[in-house]
Amino acid sequence: MNATATNDLTGYYYPSAPGARTWREARDLYINGKRVSAHVAGDRHATVFIGGEIVFEGALPTEIITSGQAQTWARDTALDAAANEAAAVDAAEAIVAEAAGTIAAELSATATTAAEHRAAAAAFTKAQHVSAERADEADGALSQWAHGLNAAEHHLAAEIAEDGGKAEFAGLFDLNGNLVPAVRVDGRYGWYWKLLDGRGRTAGLFNESKAKTADRRRAADARKGYYVGRVRVAARAVLAGGGIGTVMPRAERIDGGYSAAAIVVDNGQ
């Protein structure tokens, strides 16, 4: 039952949700699907519930002298308790997210072995999941994207470490199968080769064929005096690209693009 408007406020109260303009529009207040209620004992000891959970227990404020005031007080007390709980959860989640990102960054900074890179990747993946669970404006899609990229970079770094710190790249060869001093460049209109002289200076350019089939590309390149093959050289994992939609991890040569000591995998013939 609801208490009547009297200084004896003993009874049960079921506050209405805010926003009602008339009593016909009034609806019981629910928070997260749980009905809000309150009880005031004869000694003005008050208890406010959200569902079966007590969110306030103590003396009814002395300024509350009517049942209407008690209803409003019970409503505001329940709403404040819910807001405080939500703020506490947000703060805890922010701490977890920050800690996850910090751990990932620390592991990333010191990773050298394959196992250490995989541990860093796992930490970034966890940070990504923590961010996704929060799903707020302060730590949203951009953080998740960055954590995902960092995880992918460390996965690639682990693969490179497991392969002896090396990765495969394109290499330029002459028609006799000899490695040609040249650096492959990603230009405005696609990949091309910068031929080097004995001092490492540009001696000419070679544009790879863009024919649709491998046989046609090989034949076209051979007519110009070259084959494009594969070599293994020292490498590292990096993030490269021109924007959010194009950035991705890739292996990068450490030798600047050419090394006479490169291990030949395929001379292109």
Side-chain angles (χ1 to χ4, degrees):
M1 67 177 180
N2 284 342
T4 58
T6 173
N7 286 334
D8 180 7
L9 301 179
T10 302
Y12 290 93
Y13 297 82
Y14 300 96
S16 299
R21 292 170 296 181
T22 67
W23 68 269
R24 292 182 180 275
E25 294 179 357
R27 297 292 183 271
D28 288 344
L29 175 61
Y30 284 80
I31 296 176
N32 295 326
K34 300 176 181 179
R35 190 183 189 186
V36 173
S37 61
H39 175 259
V40 177
D43 58 356
R44 293 178 63 89
H45 182 84
T47 307
V48 179
F49 303 85
I50 299 179
E53 179 184 359
I54 297 174
V55 296
F56 174 87
E57 187 171 17
L60 187 68
T62 56
E63 64 269 20
I64 306 300
I65 59 175
T66 69
S67 61
Q69 291 174 337
Q71 292 274 26
T72 301
W73 170 83
R75 179 198 68 192
D76 293 345
T77 299
L79 290 173
D80 287 346
N84 290 338
E85 180 180 1
V89 170
D90 286 345
E93 289 178 346
I95 292 171
V96 171
E98 182 178 357
T102 299
I103 292 171
E106 290 175 351
L107 291 174
S108 176
T110 59
T112 55
T113 67
E116 289 169 345
H117 281 298
R118 295 199 188 283
F124 276 116
T125 298
K126 180 177 180 179
Q128 182 183 35
H129 291 164
V130 170
S131 175
E133 289 171 357
R134 292 189 66 202
D136 60 21
E137 295 180 359
D139 189 33
L142 189 60
S143 292
Q144 295 156 36
W145 169 79
H147 291 322
L149 277 179
N150 284 324
E153 180 185 9
H154 279 285
H155 279 303
L156 177 58
E159 294 174 4
I160 293 173
E162 288 173 340
D163 198 20
K166 294 180 172 59
E168 279 194 21
F169 298 89
L172 191 64
F173 297 83
D174 63 22
L175 299 184
N176 295 319
N178 300 310
L179 187 62
V180 174
V183 175
R184 195 168 186 247
V185 180
D186 187 5
R188 182 177 180 182
Y189 300 105
W191 290 96
Y192 69 91
W193 290 88
K194 183 170 63 174
L195 307 176
L196 307 176
D197 63 16
R199 296 183 178 181
R201 296 178 301 190
T202 302
L205 301 176
F206 166 67
N207 291 308
E208 297 179 27
S209 169
K210 295 181 176 59
K212 293 183 179 180
T213 67
D215 288 341
R216 289 183 177 180
R217 289 194 297 272
R218 186 180 302 109
D221 289 342
R223 286 194 292 271
K224 298 179 182 179
Y226 299 101
Y227 287 116
V228 177
R230 304 291 294 175
V231 297
R232 287 183 69 245
V233 296
R236 62 189 167 209
V238 298
L239 295 177
I244 289 180
T246 60
V247 174
M248 62 183 61
R250 74 175 188 185
E252 178 182 79
R253 297 179 66 144
I254 295 177
D255 59 12
Y258 171 74
S259 172
I263 299 171
V264 177
V265 178
D266 172 17
N267 64 12
Q269 298 184 19

